[in-house]
């Protein structure tokens, strides 16, 4: 068993539940295709990292998908909100005696193997590591021990998610490192900044609940 664990949070491919902010502008079909591309890209990057790996699905475990069943331990996210779901996944990993755990989402075309390797390396000297996203959140969080205050009672998809997390770490007297800033793909503007070419179409008329990202 490797002493390092990479955890990937993903959403099941259920129409109307993925990339909901994108779907408001581009329609559910386009949002779904973009998310499939994000999943495929994230899996390609994660496959290259030489650590143990787990994928946590939003609703149910999928077999024979982007995530190799022989490589990834597969679980369902458990908890009443995103913070609790991440916290429970981290508890799972540390109960298995992993020494360093990184948790990433599946929202960026900019994350790569080097960033993930650098994050594990940073934990040799730091207690926590964050990958800042340009929207004020984070695309990666890593640690050597759980700090529940980072996740309990938090509101995500806001511009102060990362800063709030940093303050929690500092208040606990712990250290942290920062990785490069990356873009998450959550909105039409994010797509434009990424350079990804998408044929825009009118949004669907139906109401789509907003999803939570880091």
């Amino acid at each position: 068993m490797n002493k390092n664990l990479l955890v990937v949070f993903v959403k099941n491919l259920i129409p109307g539940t993925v990339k909901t902010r994108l779907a408001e502008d581009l329609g559910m079909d386009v949002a779904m295709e973009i998310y499939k591309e994000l999943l495929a890209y994230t899996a390609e990057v994660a496959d290259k990292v030489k650590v143990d790996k787990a994928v946590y699905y939003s609703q149910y475990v999928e077999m024979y998908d982007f995530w190799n069943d022989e490589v990834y331990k597969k679980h369902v996210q458990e908890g009443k909100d995103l913070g609790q779901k991440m916290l429970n996944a981290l508890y799972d990993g540390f109960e298995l005696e992993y020494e360093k755990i990184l948790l990433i989402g599946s929202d960026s075309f900019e994350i790569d193997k080097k960033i993930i390797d650098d994050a594990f390396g940073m934990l040799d000297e730091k207690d926590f590591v964050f990958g800042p996203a340009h929207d004020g959140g984070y695309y990666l969080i890593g640690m050597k021990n759980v700090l529940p205050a980072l996740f309990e009672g938090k509101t995500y998809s806001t511009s102060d998610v990362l800063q709030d997390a940093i303050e929690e770490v500092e208040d606990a007297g712990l250290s942290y490192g920062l990785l490069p800033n990356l873009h998450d793909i959550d909105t039409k503007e994010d797509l434009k900044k990424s350079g990804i070419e998408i044929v825009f179409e009118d949004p669907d008329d139906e109401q789509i609940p907003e999803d939570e990202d880091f």
Side-chain angles (χ1 to χ4, degrees), residues 22 26 34 185 187-196:
L22 268 177
L26 309 179
I34 292 169
I185 306 298
T187 67
K188 185 175 177 179
E189 290 304 312
D190 294 334
L191 274 175
K192 291 179 179 178
K193 293 174 183 176
S194 73
I196 300 167

Side-chain angles (χ1 to χ4, degrees), residues 126-144:
K126 304 293 185 180
D127 299 304
F128 291 85
V129 59
F130 297 99
H134 282 284
D135 61 4
Y138 50 81
Y139 60 85
L140 176 153
I141 183 170
M143 63 201 69
K144 292 184 287 192

Side-chain angles (χ1 to χ4, degrees), residues 45-151:
V45 170
D47 286 347
K48 298 174 183 176
V49 182
K50 304 303 182 183
V51 298
D52 286 358
K53 300 158 195 170
V55 58
Y56 279 73
Y57 296 87
S58 58
Q59 300 290 334
Y60 51 85
V61 169
E62 295 185 7
M63 308 300 289
Y64 311 110
D65 57 356
F66 297 106
W67 313 94
N68 188 327
D69 296 350
E70 297 181 2
V71 175
Y72 292 84
K73 301 177 181 72
K74 295 190 171 185
H75 309 269
V76 177
Q77 299 167 23
E78 295 185 1
K80 65 182 186 302
D81 55 31
L82 179 58
Q84 192 64 54
K85 291 173 182 178
M86 290 194 288
L87 184 58
N88 286 336
L90 291 163
Y91 279 140
D92 288 347
F94 284 117
E95 285 175 2
L96 292 173
E97 300 185 349
Y98 285 101
E99 295 177 357
K100 303 176 189 175
I101 301 178
L102 297 185
L103 193 155
I104 65 173
S106 48
D107 300 303
S108 177
F109 283 116
E110 296 178 349
I111 194 169
D112 58 26
K113 177 181 181 296
K114 183 179 185 304
I115 287 173
I116 295 173
D117 286 342
D118 287 349
F120 277 117
M122 199 172 287
L123 288 174
D124 288 337
E125 304 294 334
K126 304 293 185 180
D127 299 304
F128 291 85
V129 59
F130 297 99
H134 282 284
D135 61 4
Y138 50 81
Y139 60 85
L140 176 153
I141 183 170
M143 63 201 69
K144 292 184 287 192
N145 288 290
V146 176
L147 179 62
L150 281 173
F151 306 100

Side-chain angles (χ1 to χ4, degrees), residues 197-208:
E197 294 185 3
I198 299 292
V199 178
F200 295 142
E201 58 182 44
D202 292 333
D204 294 311
D205 292 331
E206 57 192 295
Q207 292 293 107
I208 303 169

